[in-house]
Amino acid sequence: MQILIGVTAGIAAYKIPLLVRLLVQQGHEVKVIMTPDSVDFVSPLVLSTLSKNEVAIDFWDKKTGQWKNHVQYAEWADLLLISPCTANTLAKMAQGSCDNFLLATYFSMRKHTLIAPAMDLEMFQHPTVKRNLEILNQDGVTIIPPEFGELASGMVGEGRMPEPETLAKVILQGTQATLRLKGQKALVTAGPTYESIDAVRFLGNRSSGKMGYAIARALADEGASVTLISGPTPLTLQHPLVELVSINTAQELFEQTKRHWPSMDLGVFAAAVADYRPSQVVKEKLKKTEEPLTLTLEKTEDSLAWAGNHKLTTQYLVGFALETSLGEAYALEKLQKKNLNAVILNVLGEKGVGFNEDTNKIRIFDQAGQDLAFPLASKTSLAKEIVDYIINNR
Ligand code: CTP
């Protein structure tokens, strides 16, 4: 899951580095936004090191002069937790005041926001604070109640921010209830395949695996148990719900597909599989001669076509079509020929679209006759759109 943590100027901010570390250990991606005053309570350097991401504080970067986009942060996040949340920040959230980067991000959030208010006993009891909490509750914000205990003022009472372990548990529970693919099993194929020519050379392609990995993460973030069959790529994916199966060749991909697909509920095949492999693999390294070298290639197994042919009516299968021309016609042909529920078309050759890019532009065609075009966007956000599409159309 992609978790955004907002830190405001409360003593309990000292607990946030531990929370960030815990969430990262659990396989989540974490970004931190701090209000300007909160940097007196906890170091941005510590939070950026533990989250492995830059910490956002201002609307613009004073070093580069570049503007920071709060909407991008809000879109990136699956969840925003503001903790500790001071009386000041919760008042501004309740009233629509937006004088820092964290508040601007909160007002741009379309997903779930949780707050962990932390303040002194008397402040927490104040009718204004109670009223603001009620407004936020009505706005759909989840309020994690403060615990009873010793407070920074030396007083004892309600106002203490819960410990990092408790906050991590609440995050997990809060999202579990809304996970739309909980209990489902998904198969994703990603990356290229390498087909050996000799002991050291291979036929391959430029696939980075980024789209497939982003889809695997987006499915797991919705609670699906994902088996990710991946060709060679430097990418890693640490998520408690993702099991990685590494393969090199189209044949290995085919064997793993036959092994896993029968027990799956859905599949998204994004691997860029070699359609041909050398008929014979030379055991040694081929020596250079003066003569031209001719390689004889044989067809590889089509894993997606096999999965489509063995698809049960309860299973939902999505393939990709990677085309340099006549995209729509070829995509529709693949939809029928491989017995898919939907096909996602990538049109190569357009700017920002392609194997090693972080962005992509897609169209989804399905058996219901829909043709859905998505504008150029990051592979991460397109992966979420694809998962939303699957959930809504299955
Ligand atoms: N695919 C597969 N196994 C193969 C070839 C393709 O599983 N041997 C899957 C890809 O993962 C993708 C879809 O089939 O989801 C379409 O791949 P693409 O390369 O666009 O098409 P091909 O079927 O290989 O046809 P062509 O190369 O002629 O366009």
Side-chain angles (χ1 to χ4, degrees), residues 63 96 134 160-161 183 198 201 227 243 258 338 374-375:
K63 271 191 229 132
E134 187 44 42
R160 252 175 94 94
M161 190 180 84
D198 67 8
R201 302 178 181 95
T227 302
E243 185 207 356
K258 285 197 291 186
K338 302 197 187 193
F374 296 82

Side-chain angles (χ1 to χ4, degrees), residues 179-216:
L179 292 180
R180 294 174 296 170
L181 291 173
K182 203 174 161 198
Q184 301 276 303
K185 289 177 81 181
L187 184 65
V188 177
T189 72
T193 64
Y194 287 178
E195 311 299 329
S196 292
I197 298 171
D198 67 8
V200 293
R201 302 178 181 95
F202 60 83
L203 291 177
N205 60 67
R206 297 184 211 282
S207 167
S208 62
K210 285 178 186 168
M211 195 68 235
Y213 273 61
I215 292 169

Side-chain angles (χ1 to χ4, degrees), residues 26 45 54 82 96 133 186 192 229 264 268 285 293 322 327 332 339 372 380 385:
Q26 289 176 351
L45 178 68
E54 181 199 356
I82 302 183
L133 282 171
I229 310 179
M264 294 288 150
V268 183
K285 180 182 169 233
L293 175 69
L322 192 67
L332 289 171
N339 193 28
L372 308 167
T380 312
E385 302 269 15

